[in-house]
Amino acid sequence: MDAMRLVEISAFGGPRVLRETRGPLPVPQAGEVLVRVAYAGVNRPDVAQRQGVYPPPPGASPVPGLEIAGQVVATGPGCARWRVGDAVCALVAGGGYAEYATAPEAQCLPLPRGLSVCEAAALPETAFTVWSNVFERGALARGELLLVHGGTSGIGTLAIQLAKARGARVIATAGSEDKCAACRELGADLAVNYRETDFVTAVKEFSAGRGADVILDMVGGDYTQRNIRAAAEQGRIVQIAFLHGAKAELDLMPLMLKRLVLTGSTLRARSLDFKAALARAVEQNVWPLVESGRVRPRVARVFGLDEAGAAHELMESSAHIGKIVLRID
């Protein structure tokens, strides 16, 4: 086979600019494997790339898609862990919406026992993001209180489960009673409908005035000052996206008085060494919880490769609970 099906961004714009086409198979370079993709996760960064505001890093595939699951069909020079025929899921810097994709060997993980290939495809981007931001940058510890915004997003559903499995308490925000109920089913101690209740007040009441130790935020904008108000002394606020805008006007006094840490990160452009170390941490700390059944990705809906535009429409509607996945094979 010298050509494969893939989804291209034909022009920057709405979901319908995603078009199925054909292109050459990628060739694995040193330290890479070639994966025949069975399923690929759909993530907010894919939407941003389609809109023209989040370009792939230099050298990465222009094809969208940051997480895949499938079977290794070829290996590049220097690969030591994976062999042809191995089933893996992987974090990639692009190229997931295709029949074949290359992945750095160090960013591939075994499929967790007990998960389907579809469920495994919903894990890498979210697991890497949650572990890096909640447990490394945010340093969430047993007994502490996590506030996670967007509790029914792919990130939110995994963050709730991981935090609870590691002994933390969790408050999640969501935009409807159905979504709040889903957050509670996933283990959240409190779910706040942000359309009806001020989350700052809810956090203060739940914590007897203390506030949240770690806040995972993908909203930004006007949430930033409110997060500062909701944080406990020496709390850590971790920014991973800004759906309400990248700019905010802040009163820095409470940040100083509470001795807060306001931090954030992106993942896609980080070095291979960073991602390799993160992959090892995820395999060591997250995979056992997944295989024990205490943590499980929640798949909202599966679309065909030719339905990538519809998948993005659902993502932008925020009507889903959990992860959206493309079926490739």
Side-chain angles (χ1 to χ4, degrees):
M1 179 187 292
D2 56 4
M4 65 176 181
R5 296 165 57 222
L6 59 86
V7 171
E8 70 171 1
I9 301 172
S10 59
F12 296 135
R16 295 306 170 181
V17 304
L18 296 176
R19 183 178 64 184
E20 184 183 335
T21 185
R22 297 187 69 81
L25 270 68
V27 177
Q29 303 301 306
E32 293 183 337
V33 299
L34 179 66
V35 178
R36 182 169 65 230
V37 182
Y39 293 89
V42 178
N43 294 282
R44 286 278 178 183
D46 305 344
V47 173
Q49 179 179 339
R50 189 205 75 223
Q51 293 169 336
V53 297
Y54 193 50
S61 170
V63 175
L66 302 179
E67 58 186 351
I68 59 173
Q71 187 178 60
V72 175
V73 294
T75 60
C79 288
R81 181 176 184 183
W82 304 109
R83 298 288 186 266
V84 171
D86 287 343
V88 298
C89 58
L91 179 77
V92 293
Y97 293 12
E99 287 185 300
Y100 293 85
T102 56
E105 181 183 43
Q107 291 171 212
C108 296
L109 294 174
L111 300 191
R113 291 187 300 272
L115 289 196
S116 67
V117 181
C118 177
E119 290 173 314
L123 266 179
E125 172 72 8
T126 49
F128 280 52
T129 298
V130 171
W131 183 259
S132 175
N133 288 284
V134 174
F135 297 99
E136 293 186 344
R137 301 193 70 80
L140 182 69
R142 179 175 296 274
E144 288 193 320
L145 178 60
L146 170 69
L147 169 62
V148 54
H149 293 299
T152 55
S153 66
I155 295 290
T157 54
L158 196 68
I160 292 169
Q161 295 179 77
L162 270 178
K164 290 297 295 182
R166 291 178 62 85
R169 297 173 297 151
V170 178
I171 299 175
T173 64
S176 70
E177 183 48 44
D178 286 347
K179 288 188 172 185
C180 285
C183 290
R184 291 190 292 269
E185 289 171 6
L186 291 165
D189 299 277
L190 177 67
V192 179
N193 184 340
Y194 63 80
R195 300 183 192 278
E196 299 178 353
T197 303
D198 175 37
F199 72 79
V200 177
T201 301
V203 169
K204 291 292 189 179
E205 290 179 351
F206 179 85
S207 62
R210 185 175 181 277
D213 298 289
V214 177
I215 300 175
L216 183 66
D217 184 36
M218 56 198 79
V219 182
D222 61 335
Y223 267 42
T224 309
Q225 188 70 58
R226 297 168 70 191
N227 286 335
I228 291 173
R229 289 169 49 208
E233 288 189 1
Q234 300 190 70
R236 290 82 72 194
I237 303 168
V238 188
Q239 201 73 42
I240 59 170
F242 41 82
L243 297 176
H244 282 190
K247 296 182 180 180
E249 184 174 334
L250 299 181
D251 176 4
L252 295 176
M253 183 59 75
L255 182 137
M256 296 163 61
L257 292 174
K258 292 182 180 182
R259 304 176 301 285
L260 304 180
V261 174
L262 177 56
T263 184
S265 74
T266 60
L267 180 58
R268 190 178 192 183
R270 297 298 296 270
S271 70
L272 293 177
D273 286 344
F274 174 85
K275 292 178 184 176
L278 185 52
R280 292 192 296 270
V282 167
E283 186 171 3
Q284 178 181 349
N285 294 285
V286 178
W287 255 224
L289 296 173
V290 175
E291 293 184 339
S292 73
R294 299 176 67 189
V295 172
R296 194 173 190 96
R298 177 163 177 166
V299 176
R301 187 169 171 186
V302 180
F303 291 85
L305 185 64
D306 60 346
E307 299 175 303
H312 276 221
E313 287 180 345
L314 178 57
M315 172 68 74
E316 291 187 81
S317 76
S318 295
H320 59 292
I321 297 174
K323 289 297 297 279
I324 302 168
V325 177
L326 294 181
R327 184 183 65 255
I328 310 298
D329 61 0

